[in-house]
Amino acid sequence: MEPSEYLACLGRGVDVVPSDPEFLEWLVSVGVDVRTRAYFAAGWAAESDGMIGTGYPLTADAIMATAHDEPRWLRHGFLLIGSCGNGDPVAIDVRDQGAICFLSHEVLWPDDEADPREWSVIVAAGLGDFVKLAWDLDACPIDFWDARPDDGA
């Protein structure tokens, strides 16, 4: 996806500002892939009260603060960038070349010992794909449980 298309999709629900150099350098330090950093460089949510599809983005400052205050997520390779409408975290998987995942808040919030890798599901190959998918309300899952493949249980 070209940056212009990414910005058009992102801008449907939030005010968009270019990311500052400090945030972009920080993204390098936590292992975010070059493709995802390019999207962030083009722009990201100016405030957390907008929407991306049915979810809510964190601002760049809030992304960094969350990573600092809750290091559990980065230890497991996830950078939280927002939440689904029900509170499930939306994260970049820094171990999987920027795939976007939903994590189960019902399992992970109350249990610090639960492995986030076991309670995550990939919903998009990357940030650009996710921002586009999020506006396809018929195709985009609304939370972890909606995105989780049916395992026959």
Side-chain angles (χ1 to χ4, degrees):
M1 170 184 293
E2 292 295 317
S4 59
E5 184 182 1
Y6 161 79
L7 290 172
C9 289
L10 182 62
R12 290 178 64 185
V14 297
D15 291 331
V16 177
V17 295
S19 296
D20 66 45
E22 176 187 345
F23 178 62
L24 297 173
E25 289 173 19
W26 179 83
L27 290 172
V28 172
S29 74
V30 297
V32 173
D33 65 286
V34 67
R35 178 185 58 157
T36 303
R37 292 193 319 265
Y39 285 129
F40 275 118
W44 187 243
E47 296 182 11
S48 291
D49 62 354
M51 295 189 76
I52 300 175
T54 60
Y56 304 92
L58 294 173
T59 63
D61 287 342
I63 291 169
M64 290 189 297
T66 300
H68 178 268
D69 295 344
E70 300 178 34
R72 167 190 191 191
W73 307 115
L74 271 178
R75 275 197 312 272
H76 288 277
F78 293 111
L79 178 63
L80 274 54
I81 61 167
S83 67
C84 299
N86 73 338
D88 284 347
V90 176
I92 296 170
D93 186 341
V94 298
R95 294 183 186 167
D96 190 7
Q97 302 200 1
I100 302 299
C101 300
F102 290 171
L103 287 72
S104 172
H105 81 279
E106 292 94 344
V107 173
L108 296 170
W109 284 166
D111 184 358
D112 288 340
E113 299 301 316
D115 182 356
R117 293 252 153 224
E118 292 180 23
W119 295 98
S120 67
V121 62
I122 295 173
V123 295
L127 186 59
D129 294 334
F130 174 69
V131 169
K132 185 175 182 177
L133 173 67
W135 289 108
D136 185 346
L137 301 181
D138 293 327
C140 187
I142 60 170
D143 61 17
F144 168 84
W145 298 105
D146 190 34
R148 188 175 183 190
D150 183 8
D151 60 7

